Amino acid sequence: MTDSIDKKKMKERREPTDQRRGDVRSEYDRDEARLIHSAAFRRLQSKTQVLGLGESDFYRTRLTHSMEVAQIGRGIVQYLSKKKKFKEHKDHLPDISLITAICLAHDIGHPPFGHGGEVALNYCMRNYGGFEGNGQTLRILGKLDKYTADHGLNPTRRMLLGVLKYPAAYSGLVNNRVYESKQDTDTPYWLFKADSQKPPKCYHDTDKDIVDFVFKGFSPKDVKKFVRSKPEENKHDKTCFKSLDCSIMNLSDNISYSLHDLEDALSLGMINQAQWENHFKSRTNLFNNLSNELGNSELKFDNITKRLFSNASHERKNAIGCLVHLMITNVIIEDNGSRCKDPLLRYEVKLKSRVEQLREHIFNIVFDIVIKDENVQQLEFKGQKLIIELFQVLSEDPKRFLPKPTKKIWIEAKEDASKYPEKYLSQSTREKFEQEGKNVVEKAQESAQMRVICDFIAGMTDDYATKFYEKFFTPNKGSIFDRL
C-alpha cells in the first residue's frame, strides 16, 4: 500500500472563498471554469504554436494545442483508472476536471512569438530575475489574472502543483556564465545568438509566495527531496522531479507536439515522404517491433507511412489518431526516484520505453526539419527583435508610453518594493548588492517595475504586439483614435 493524499489540503485556496448558493460543482470544476473564462486563456487563440499565425486558418495555435493536450491528458487518466494493474494508484489520479484545467493552463504564460518571445524577455530581464514561460504560467494563475485582487485565479493547491513544472527559483538555477556577453558595442542591442540567452527552467523568485503556499500541503522532508536540482555542464542547473499531475500534463504535451505538429508539417508539405523514410531508414523497427508485440498491423512502418502521405486527408488523420491511441494506451505509473512519501510527489506517469523511443524519434524529425527550418527561425527572430525593441521603449520612458492601467500597476510596484524589497529580490541578490554597497531598496524598486513591463508584454498576443510595435516604429501606422 502507498501513502494517501490529504485531499482536503489539496483543495485549499490561498484566499478562501465560499461557493455560491446552489453551486453543485467540485473545487476542481471551479478551477476549470475560472481558467476557461480567463482572459489569459482566450489570448492563446492569437499566440504562435510553431507555424506562424495568419499562414492559414488550419494550423494550430496555442489554444487549439492546449485543447488537444487536455484531451490527451483526460485519456491518460481514464486509461490508468480502468487498468487493474494500476489499481493501487487509482485514488491518486486527478479528477477529470482537474487534469483538464492543468492541461488547458499549461501554456498561458508563454509570450507572443513562441520561444523567440521567451528568449527576448529573458534577455531584457536577465538582471531583474529573468523570464521563463512556465514560470509565467504559475504567476498568471496565482497572482496576475484579475479573478481576485491579489491571488489571480486563486486556484486550488493541487492545480498550482500541477502547473509547477519546474519547482526551483530562477536564482537557484541560473548559471550566468551561460549568458553570452556582448563584446562588440557596434552590434545592435537586439542582435545575439538565441541559444546564449535561454532561461533556466524555473519559477520566478518574485513568485516564491505562490510556491510556498503549494508546498505547505506537504511535509518539509518531502519538499526538500522534491525540489532538488542537478548541475549541467555549461548550462543552467535543472530540476529533477515533477508532481504526478504535472507528469501527466507534461507527457500529454510531449505527445501532442510530437504528433500534431507532425500533422501540421505534413499538411503544409514541409516534410515529404522521402525525408520521413530517410529519417527512419535504420529505425523502422521502432514501428515494426511494436506492431508485432501488440498484434496490430496498422503500426507497421509501411502501413503508417502509406496513410501519413496519402492524398486523402482522412487517412493521414487516422494514422495520427492511431499513434495518439498507441501512446495513451502505453502509459505506466512509476516511482520517480525522489523518495518522497506523498504520492503526488513520489510518482510519475511516463510512456513505456519502446513507445517513448518512437515518440522521441518522431519529434526529432519535426524539430530538425520544421522547427529548425530557416523560414520558421526567421519568423521567430523577427518576433524576438520586436519584443526587445518594445521592452526598450517602454522601460526607457514608462510614464510616457505605458497604458494607464499598466502605469498604475507600475507606480504601485515601486511603493510595494520600498516596503517589501524581499518580494522582488532573492536573498542571494540582496546579499550581493549589500556587499557591493548598492541601495537594496532602489534595486528592488527597479526590479519590481521592470517586472510590470515584462508582465505587460508577456500578456500580449502576437497580433496586439505587432500593432503596438507599429504604433511606435511604422510611420504610416497608428492613430490617436486606435484602441488596441
Side-chain angles (χ1 to χ4, degrees):
M1 284 294 292
T2 58
D3 287 71
S4 61
I5 296 168
D6 188 333
K7 294 191 174 184
K8 185 177 179 182
K9 275 191 175 181
M10 291 304 105
K11 292 177 182 178
E12 289 176 348
R13 304 177 189 273
R14 291 184 77 189
E15 185 178 315
T17 55
D18 295 327
Q19 284 188 286
R20 294 187 177 98
R21 183 177 295 180
D23 191 347
V24 297
R25 298 173 299 168
S26 73
E27 292 298 331
Y28 301 131
D29 288 332
R30 296 169 75 194
D31 279 342
E32 182 187 3
R34 290 180 187 187
L35 189 278
I36 288 172
H37 290 284
S38 69
F41 181 68
R42 290 196 299 275
R43 290 189 189 109
L44 291 176
Q45 67 188 307
S46 297
K47 289 193 178 186
T48 301
Q49 176 60 10
V50 173
L51 305 173
L53 296 171
E55 306 276 328
S56 165
D57 60 2
F58 172 78
Y59 307 109
R60 289 168 170 86
T61 66
R62 284 202 182 264
L63 179 65
T64 56
H65 164 70
S66 297
M67 293 168 69
E68 288 167 337
V69 172
Q71 184 272 321
I72 293 169
R74 289 194 299 269
I76 289 172
V77 171
Q78 289 167 334
Y79 172 80
L80 290 170
S81 65
K82 291 178 181 177
K83 284 293 170 180
K84 287 183 179 178
K85 60 182 173 180
F86 302 119
K87 184 179 178 181
E88 66 173 314
H89 297 293
K90 186 173 181 179
D91 203 41
H92 306 152
L93 293 170
D95 292 359
I96 291 297
S97 55
L98 174 61
I99 196 61
T100 300
I102 291 169
C103 290
L104 288 176
H106 85 280
D107 261 354
I108 63 170
H110 284 266
F113 308 113
H115 292 292
E118 180 180 56
V119 166
L121 284 176
N122 186 56
Y123 180 67
C124 296
M125 290 292 292
R126 65 197 186 283
N127 295 324
Y128 309 105
F131 176 87
E132 204 277 331
N134 298 287
Q136 191 71 3
T137 293
L138 184 76
R139 182 168 172 79
I140 289 169
L141 290 174
K143 194 167 288 184
L144 297 182
D145 201 280
K146 292 308 174 189
Y147 187 87
T148 62
D150 301 311
H151 300 121
L153 288 175
N154 194 31
T156 56
R157 177 177 279 114
R158 186 161 177 176
M159 181 178 175
L160 287 170
L161 177 66
V163 297
L164 180 60
K165 203 169 178 182
Y166 305 104
Y170 177 90
S171 63
L173 299 177
V174 67
N175 177 358
N176 284 304
R177 292 188 297 274
V178 172
Y179 291 145
E180 185 180 85
S181 59
K182 296 180 73 66
Q183 304 295 330
D184 185 356
T185 54
D186 293 330
T187 303
Y189 178 75
W190 44 261
L191 189 58
F192 54 82
K193 291 181 180 178
D195 284 347
S196 72
Q197 299 299 333
K198 287 182 177 178
K201 298 296 185 182
C202 62
Y203 64 82
H204 303 137
D205 287 85
T206 190
D207 299 318
K208 184 178 179 295
D209 55 323
I210 303 173
V211 179
D212 286 346
F213 165 75
V214 171
F215 287 133
K216 275 182 184 174
F218 302 92
S219 75
K221 285 185 179 179
D222 266 6
V223 173
K224 186 176 181 180
K225 294 172 185 175
F226 184 73
V227 301
R228 290 201 306 268
S229 60
K230 58 185 177 182
E232 297 268 310
E233 190 174 356
N234 299 320
K235 294 181 180 180
H236 301 298
D237 290 1
K238 291 179 68 174
T239 56
C240 298
F241 307 112
K242 293 176 174 64
S243 69
L244 175 65
D245 299 348
C246 188
S247 73
I248 297 172
M249 174 268 282
N250 190 56
L251 176 57
S252 303
D253 189 27
N254 291 350
I255 292 170
S256 180
Y257 68 61
S258 298
L259 299 180
H260 294 141
D261 289 354
L262 170 67
E263 183 181 7
D264 280 356
L266 295 176
S267 301
L268 193 62
M270 292 185 76
I271 296 176
N272 59 44
Q273 188 167 341
Q275 291 169 315
W276 171 264
E277 290 175 344
N278 183 61
H279 182 71
F280 277 95
K281 184 168 55 178
S282 61
R283 304 299 301 276
T284 56
N285 62 304
L286 291 175
F287 280 105
N288 294 336
N289 288 348
L290 284 169
S291 174
N292 294 334
E293 180 184 323
L294 300 172
N296 183 355
S297 61
E298 283 186 312
L299 291 171
K300 290 286 186 187
F301 178 75
D302 290 344
N303 292 340
I304 283 286
T305 300
K306 182 179 179 181
R307 287 194 292 161
L308 284 176
F309 293 93
S310 169
N311 291 326
S313 59
H314 72 276
E315 290 285 0
R316 181 173 60 245
K317 177 62 72 175
N318 285 336
I320 294 294
C322 175
L323 293 173
V324 172
H325 176 75
L326 168 72
M327 294 183 187
I328 289 176
T329 55
N330 279 276
V331 295
I332 54 176
I333 301 177
E334 284 191 346
D335 194 301
N336 63 15
S338 66
R339 293 183 295 170
C340 294
K341 288 187 176 181
D342 193 291
L344 286 180
L345 306 184
R346 177 179 173 182
Y347 295 107
E348 65 176 338
V349 173
K350 58 195 291 189
L351 288 173
K352 292 177 183 175
S353 177
R354 284 187 181 182
V355 181
E356 173 58 22
Q357 289 173 26
L358 174 62
R359 185 207 64 78
E360 195 171 321
H361 203 60
I362 291 172
F363 169 71
N364 286 341
I365 190 173
V366 176
F367 184 82
D368 293 340
I369 296 179
V370 180
I371 296 174
K372 287 301 179 183
D373 176 80
E374 66 273 16
N375 295 299
V376 173
Q377 288 301 307
Q378 286 161 13
L379 282 172
E380 190 174 286
F381 172 75
K382 186 159 62 174
Q384 176 182 306
K385 176 177 180 287
L386 183 154
I387 293 297
I388 291 172
E389 292 189 326
L390 265 186
F391 194 101
Q392 280 186 292
V393 168
L394 294 174
S395 60
E396 186 65 31
D397 202 347
K399 288 183 180 178
R400 183 182 181 193
F401 294 130
L402 283 177
K404 289 182 179 65
T406 307
K407 192 186 302 180
K408 182 175 181 290
I409 298 169
W410 181 83
I411 292 168
E412 291 170 348
K414 183 176 181 179
E415 296 170 356
D416 194 55
S418 65
K419 297 176 185 175
Y420 312 106
E422 68 278 2
K423 287 171 60 175
Y424 300 97
L425 298 175
S426 67
Q427 184 176 340
S428 60
T429 303
R430 295 196 306 273
E431 289 172 354
K432 175 176 173 287
F433 286 147
E434 286 169 356
Q435 289 171 0
E436 294 172 351
K438 294 177 180 176
N439 188 312
V440 171
V441 171
E442 286 181 2
K443 288 293 183 181
Q445 291 171 335
E446 186 180 8
S447 287
Q449 292 191 306
M450 287 295 194
R451 183 63 62 186
V452 172
I453 294 170
C454 180
D455 289 338
F456 174 57
I457 295 174
M460 294 179 179
T461 63
D462 294 20
D463 187 53
Y464 184 101
T466 301
K467 289 179 178 177
F468 200 74
Y469 179 89
E470 287 174 343
K471 287 185 75 173
F472 285 110
F473 296 105
T474 306
N476 64 339
K477 293 290 179 75
S479 159
I480 61 169
F481 299 108
D482 286 347
R483 292 293 180 267
L484 292 182

